[in-house]
Amino acid sequence: RTRATWSSCVRACAREHSRGASGAHARVCARACLCARVCVCARTCVRTAEAAHAMPSGALSSVLAPWVRYTRHFANGGTPVLGGEQAALAAADAAEEARSAERDGGVLAHDFTRRQAEAQAWRNWDKFYRANEDRFFKDRHYFGEEAPELLGACARAFARGEAVEPRLLECGCGAGNTVYPLLELAAELHPGLPLRVSAFDFAPRAVALVRAKAAAHADGAVDAFVCDLAAGDVGDALPRRVGVGACHAATLVFVLSALAPESMPGAVRAVGACLAPGACVLVRDYAAGDLAEARLAGKGGGDSGSSRKLGERFYRRGDGTRAYFFEEAELVRLFEEHAGLRLVRSAVQARNIENRRMELTMRRRWVQAVFERPRR
C-alpha cells in the first residue's frame, strides 16, 4: 500500500469518471480507498488526479467519500451504509474478498518456499532490525502486573542464598524492549538485587543493539549473545553458554511464533535445561484468531507459488519473517511435555486496539502463560 499504488488507483478512477462510466469505476474506488487508509498523501493524489482530468476541485473526493466510509465500516466489522448500485457492488466485492481469503488460506506454499523461509529466518529478522533498529517495538512495561513471579523467583533465590547473582534468561531479546524495562522494574521493586540478564537473539543486528545499550550499564548486568533456538545443537549450545540450571527466570515474548513448529520442542527443551528448581517462565505469543492471522490467510494469489501459508496457522509475512498462531492448550502442552514445567496460569487475552488516525479498530489476540520448574 504505497503512494504509487494509491495514486494509480485514483488516476484510474478519475479517468473512468471523466468518461461518465460511473458504474465501471466503482470497484477501482473501493480498491483505492483501501490504500487511502494507509496513505497520508491521499488528498494530494486526489487533487493531482482532478487537475490532470480537468475535473472541478472536490469532484473526485465526493465520488470517493462513500467508498471511504464503506471500507472503514468493513474493516471495523460493521455493516456498510451504502445505497443503490454502490451497495450491490460493495456486497459483491466483500463476497469476493471472503472467497479469496478462504481459497488462499488453504493453499500451502511450495516445499522450496518453506525450506527457504527456514534457512533465511535469521537473515530476514536481521534485515528487519537493520531497517527499524529499536523504533518498531515499544518497551514492555507490563511485567509488574502481568507476571510479578518473574522477579519474585529471582529475589527468593537471592534471599535463600541459592544464587549470589540471580540470572534471568531473555530468549529472543530483539532490540532490548524486554530486557531494560525488567532491569528498571527490578531496581524499583527489589532494591539491591544483583540481577543479571543473559539475552540472546538469532539476529546479529538485534544483539548489537542490545550490546550498545548494555554499554551504558557499568555494572555489566546484561550479557547479550547470538544464539538460534532452531539450530540442531541448541540443546547443548544454550545450556553450555549460560549454564545448566543457572537461570531463575526466563521470558519468551513473541519468540516461539517466529520458529517452525517442528523446531519448537527442541527450543523449549534447551530453555528448560537452563532453569534452576523454582525458576519462573513467562511466555507470551500470538493466539489463533488474531487479526494478523486473518490478514495473512487472505493474502497470496491462490496457488502454492504465491501463498503465504507455510503450515497450519503458520504464515510468512511480506518481509520474509514468519508468524505462528497458538492454541492455548497447545502452548501449555509444549512446555509441560518438553521442558518438564508446571503450569501456574494461562489465558487467551483479547483486546480491540484503535488506530484513531486511520479510524480502524484492530482485534488482537495473544496467549500468555506462566510456568515454573518444580522443586524436587
Side-chain angles (χ1 to χ4, degrees), residues 25-301:
H25 75 260
R27 286 183 183 275
V28 179
C29 289
R31 292 291 181 261
C33 292
L34 287 173
C35 298
R37 289 184 298 154
V38 293
C39 181
V40 296
C41 305
R43 292 183 180 178
T44 301
C45 294
V46 169
R47 287 196 296 267
T48 301
E50 288 173 345
H53 292 273
M55 299 172 66
S57 178
L60 189 55
S61 298
S62 64
V63 173
L64 290 175
W67 291 99
V68 172
R69 291 194 297 271
Y70 157 65
T71 52
R72 286 172 178 167
H73 276 291
F74 187 76
N76 289 327
T79 302
V81 182
L82 300 171
E85 181 184 21
Q86 288 179 330
L89 288 172
D93 209 46
E96 176 59 27
E97 289 288 341
R99 286 193 297 271
S100 176
E102 182 178 359
R103 178 181 68 249
D104 297 344
V107 179
L108 285 177
H110 284 308
D111 288 341
F112 172 78
T113 302
R114 297 199 294 272
R115 290 194 300 269
Q116 185 181 49
E118 176 67 22
Q120 296 183 355
W122 72 269
R123 192 184 306 276
N124 290 326
W125 276 108
D126 199 61
K127 291 179 181 178
F128 174 88
Y129 284 110
R130 285 185 182 278
N132 298 285
E133 295 189 336
D134 60 352
R135 299 184 298 269
F136 192 86
F137 299 111
K138 295 180 180 179
D139 284 350
R140 296 157 180 151
H141 294 283
Y142 48 72
F143 295 103
E145 296 180 1
E146 298 285 345
E149 301 94 337
L150 270 179
L151 296 177
C154 295
R156 285 194 301 272
F158 179 67
R160 293 172 177 173
E162 298 173 353
V164 176
E165 294 180 337
R167 184 166 295 275
L168 183 144
L169 181 63
E170 163 62 3
C171 307
C173 60
N177 302 100
T178 296
V179 173
Y180 295 101
L182 273 174
L183 286 173
E184 293 173 4
L185 184 64
E188 178 185 344
L189 299 181
H190 305 282
L193 178 67
L195 181 64
R196 296 293 180 263
V197 178
S198 292
F200 70 87
D201 200 288
F202 65 175
R205 179 58 183 171
V207 173
L209 292 171
V210 174
R211 286 175 176 169
K213 293 181 180 179
H217 293 258
D219 57 358
V222 179
D223 172 29
F225 57 96
V226 176
C227 181
D228 187 355
L229 277 177
D233 64 343
V234 69
D236 296 324
L238 183 59
R240 185 168 59 247
R241 181 63 172 76
V242 302
V244 176
C247 299
H248 304 88
T251 61
L252 295 94
V253 181
F254 299 105
V255 173
L256 290 177
S257 55
L259 306 180
E262 57 269 21
S263 300
M264 294 178 189
V268 169
R269 279 194 295 270
V271 173
C274 302
L275 301 177
C280 177
V281 180
L282 169 68
V283 185
R284 185 181 180 101
D285 227 316
Y286 299 111
D290 182 61
L291 172 67
E293 181 183 15
R295 287 177 172 175
L296 289 169
K299 292 182 178 179

